Amino acid sequence: MSSTPEEGKHTPERGTAVPSDELTPQDIDVYRQLLETSPDAEESARRLGLSRDQVAESVKRLTARRLLRPDGPGRHEALSPAVAAAALTAACHTRVHELVRLIDTTRRELGPLGSAYEAHRRQELDGTTTELFTDGDAVRHRLADLSAQVRRSVLTAHPTLGSPETLRAALDLDRGLLDRGVRYRTVVPHTARRQREALQHVRRLGRLGAQVRTAAVIPGRMILLDDTFAFVSTGSGGAALLRDPVAVGFLSVIFDHIWEHARTVGGGSHDDAVFEDVELEILRHLERGRSDEFMSRRLGISTRTLSRYLAGMCEKLQVDTRFQLGMAAARLGLTGDGREPDTEG
């Protein structure tokens, strides 16, 4: 039988906890019997083919959720699920509203201090246009501070991509920038196309609105914010933050050059083209006598992956040794375009 609350007698006390256990299909059947057929527990047990103890357990769970209330010996009145849900979750809604108010209050209190903080940082750095960071955590914290101020553009170039955890953390920061309408362009190595986590990362960036390309060689890690700040890697996990307009402008020119020679990442695959670029870079490094470690670092690949490339290239050009590979490449005019200075610095 159905009922409606009268004078509040069916409404549980405010703040009643929601039971942690879940209703079972048996509980639902018992509720329907008491609601639609008879309020008598024994009759419900007989009709459903359940024991008294089974019905009693269901009645206990239903009563805890305020879906039933006693209505005489062995009888129970079925109550409105909507009213029960509203009563059981009232305290949760109150807590949610309190948390929202706390968030708004905190933002109002701390927001205006951002300008004071940045003014203090500028005062501390008066007379210098460079900040040096010696560890990755310090770099990430400073980058997060400055990213909150970005309004126009972000340009990034990464010779290698980090661990899956690092990529997930970076994506959270990038999502905030893109949600604000910041124009975002990034270049990562071609080899990211064959690394599952890296490829998923760049495609997620693309779906969020970023422009993503890959290149065979990226000289160094750089992050440019609004053409005002530039992070560049300094080795050993450190970085330098540059403010000098000339330096930042020069890095923008370098980024544009990398971008123009990079290939777009889309939903399909361009492996034939992009990995031909990687092979050409390997040949140029071989011509200059570069070590495996140097080539791996510059191309953002492991030495094992480099060995696979070399084996495949020897097979393509039908040679047996690296020396023969270099000679065959020179004979075919595959090297010597001078795109990179002959130094290991």
Side-chain angles (χ1 to χ4, degrees):
M1 112 186 23
S2 62
S3 68
T4 57
E6 297 175 7
E7 299 180 359
K9 69 178 182 180
H10 299 162
T11 304
E13 294 180 5
R14 181 181 180 84
T16 301
V18 179
S20 58
D21 58 332
E22 295 184 1
L23 291 178
T24 67
Q26 173 187 298
D27 299 337
I28 304 301
D29 290 341
V30 170
Y31 176 81
R32 289 182 181 277
Q33 279 291 317
L34 296 172
L35 173 69
E36 300 170 358
T37 306
S38 170
D40 185 84
E42 287 196 15
E43 183 178 346
S44 294
R46 187 170 58 255
R47 285 177 175 271
L48 293 171
L50 301 173
S51 69
R52 290 182 179 180
D53 288 343
Q54 287 177 309
V55 171
E57 284 297 320
S58 290
V59 167
K60 181 180 177 181
R61 283 190 289 270
L62 293 165
T63 302
R65 285 174 171 76
R66 301 302 191 266
L67 291 168
L68 298 179
R69 77 176 183 90
D71 192 27
R75 296 171 63 84
H76 300 276
E77 181 180 9
L79 305 176
S80 164
V83 173
L88 288 171
T89 59
C92 297
H93 285 294
T94 299
R95 183 58 178 152
V96 168
H97 290 309
E98 290 173 353
L99 291 173
V100 170
R101 283 198 299 271
L102 177 60
I103 291 170
D104 290 341
T105 299
T106 302
R107 286 175 172 168
R108 284 196 302 271
E109 288 179 345
L110 302 186
L113 298 178
S115 57
Y117 175 79
E118 286 306 317
H120 175 70
R121 296 286 296 191
R122 285 193 295 271
Q123 187 176 17
E124 281 186 330
L125 296 166
D126 190 29
T128 180
T129 58
T130 303
E131 287 181 69
L132 294 177
F133 303 91
T134 57
D135 68 87
D137 285 340
V139 173
R140 285 187 286 273
H141 290 152
R142 191 69 179 116
L143 180 59
D145 284 343
L146 293 176
S147 294
Q149 304 173 41
V150 173
R151 293 294 176 267
R152 297 186 303 279
S153 68
V154 170
L155 311 175
T156 74
H158 302 283
T160 59
L161 291 176
S163 66
E165 293 76 15
T166 301
L167 294 179
R168 284 193 289 271
L171 189 65
D172 289 338
L173 188 62
D174 297 337
R175 182 182 289 108
L177 290 162
L178 290 160
D179 286 346
R180 297 204 307 271
V182 172
R183 186 188 182 202
Y184 194 113
R185 290 189 289 162
T186 187
V187 185
V188 297
H190 281 333
T191 48
R193 296 173 183 260
R194 289 188 179 175
Q195 299 167 2
R196 184 173 60 86
E197 291 285 350
L199 185 58
Q200 288 177 350
H201 174 75
V202 298
R203 284 180 172 167
R204 287 189 189 110
L205 272 178
R207 288 193 294 270
L208 289 171
Q211 295 175 272
V212 185
R213 294 185 181 182
T214 66
V217 175
I218 300 173
R221 194 178 309 277
M222 66 176 79
I223 302 173
L224 283 71
L225 309 175
D226 274 349
D227 298 324
T228 304
F229 302 100
F231 282 89
V232 293
S233 59
T234 58
S236 303
L241 171 60
L242 309 179
R243 287 182 170 80
D244 182 79
V246 175
V248 175
F250 180 68
L251 289 172
S252 296
V253 172
I254 292 176
F255 177 87
D256 286 340
H257 177 78
I258 298 171
W259 181 259
E260 289 302 320
H261 290 79
R263 296 179 184 270
T264 301
V265 175
S269 172
H270 303 282
D271 279 359
D272 290 346
V274 300
F275 288 101
E276 180 180 281
D277 287 350
V278 174
E279 291 171 347
L280 290 175
E281 288 301 326
I282 291 173
L283 290 174
R284 294 183 185 106
H285 286 310
L286 284 175
E287 185 181 36
R288 294 175 172 88
R290 302 281 172 71
S291 67
D292 286 5
E293 291 74 16
F294 179 88
M295 288 189 284
S296 299
R297 186 171 65 252
R298 291 302 295 269
L299 294 169
I301 59 178
S302 68
T303 53
R304 180 179 298 180
T305 300
L306 175 64
S307 296
R308 287 200 295 268
Y309 275 119
L310 289 169
M313 292 158 65
C314 284
E315 184 176 350
K316 283 182 184 179
L317 297 181
Q318 298 182 333
V319 298
D320 298 317
T321 68
R322 291 189 180 202
F323 177 76
Q324 292 172 340
L325 180 61
M327 293 294 292
R331 186 171 62 252
L332 295 172
L334 298 177
T335 61
D337 67 352
R339 291 198 316 183
E340 183 183 5
D342 190 14
T343 68
E344 292 204 12

